[in-house]
Amino acid sequence: MMQMKLTTAGILAAALGLTACTDPATIGTNGSNTQQGAIIGGIIGAGVGALTNDSDRGLGAATGAIVGAAAGSVIGNQLDAQERELRQSISNDGITIVNTGDRLIVSLPNDLTFATDSSAISPAVRSDLNKVAASLVRYPNSLVQVIGHTDSDGSASYNQALSERRANAVADQIQAGGVPYNRLAIIGRGEDQPVASNLTPEGKARNRRVEIVVIPQG
């Protein structure tokens, strides 16, 4: 009986073909992240399957692709649902939510969250942080990075310490909302990862932020 031989390169080419068929206009919208998650999971699964010691590595890659695609689809569905819930529950328009397909990034502008040079959380966002914490409790299968960022004003060492204090303050508020501490990774980036130019007041305001990054675990 003739067996069809599947190669890792062939499976990867097929997966990349699926990626090419994705409508760019739908990227980042509800539903499309489920498809993206399945594609990403399939590619990873194919690679893992191909590294097995099976006599037919093509079959191993195919099996890995199927399993990986299923896991990626589950993660995509979870992110889409959690994103919808957060958008409905968070009342402050200054807080942004980005769904990349493999994680959620909730960005808190420092000018909204903290007073100048302070790491005390403003009452204006405390309620919304409690809602984020409640969402994390409802979706327990994820790791959460809390990352502080500053603009370039002041010394780099001061900005680094300030970003750490602010990340810790947000993490403490999330933990108080019921999220176990062992799910949290607290990181200070200081001025090292700007998202806009530090040459304008508008750019500096965008760079001053704390990000809550939700990374689902399969």
Side-chain angles (χ1 to χ4, degrees):
M1 180 175 65
M2 183 177 66
Q3 292 183 340
M4 180 174 65
K5 186 173 182 180
L6 300 176
T7 66
T8 304
I11 293 170
L12 291 177
L16 290 173
L18 285 174
T19 305
C21 293
T22 302
D23 183 356
T26 66
I27 292 176
T29 60
N30 290 338
S32 66
N33 291 303
T34 301
Q35 181 184 10
Q36 292 173 42
I39 291 171
I40 294 169
I43 292 172
I44 295 172
V48 172
L51 294 175
T52 65
N53 292 322
D54 296 340
S55 58
D56 189 342
R57 293 197 176 191
L59 181 59
T63 303
I66 293 169
V67 173
S73 180
V74 169
I75 288 174
N77 275 320
Q78 173 182 319
L79 284 175
D80 288 341
Q82 191 170 14
E83 178 193 6
R84 284 193 300 270
E85 291 182 14
L86 282 171
R87 290 190 185 280
Q88 291 169 0
S89 64
I90 291 177
S91 58
N92 201 308
D93 293 338
I95 299 173
T96 62
I97 303 169
V98 175
N99 186 340
T100 67
D102 66 343
R103 64 193 60 199
L104 291 180
I105 304 173
V106 181
S107 186
L108 311 169
N110 280 348
D111 293 354
L112 177 69
T113 313
F114 304 100
T116 302
D117 293 332
S118 171
S119 59
I121 295 174
S122 166
V125 298
R126 196 176 297 274
S127 174
D128 286 317
L129 273 176
N130 289 338
K131 293 171 183 175
V132 172
S135 174
L136 294 173
V137 171
R138 284 194 300 274
Y139 294 88
N141 298 322
S142 63
L143 298 178
V144 184
Q145 296 177 341
V146 184
I147 309 174
H149 302 271
T150 70
D151 61 26
S152 61
D153 285 349
S155 70
S157 59
Y158 178 83
N159 287 334
Q160 176 64 33
L162 180 61
S163 71
E164 291 172 4
R165 291 198 303 273
R166 287 178 166 173
N168 271 292
V170 171
D172 286 345
Q173 185 69 29
I174 292 173
Q175 186 185 14
V179 180
Y181 196 78
N182 60 10
R183 285 180 63 190
L184 302 175
I186 304 166
I187 304 165
R189 297 294 189 199
E191 60 190 61
D192 291 341
Q193 292 185 348
V195 293
S197 171
N198 276 308
L199 299 178
T200 66
E202 295 80 11
K204 289 178 181 179
R206 289 184 59 195
N207 291 333
R208 297 189 295 267
R209 68 202 189 277
V210 174
E211 295 172 334
I212 302 170
V213 184
V214 183
I215 307 172
Q217 302 298 293

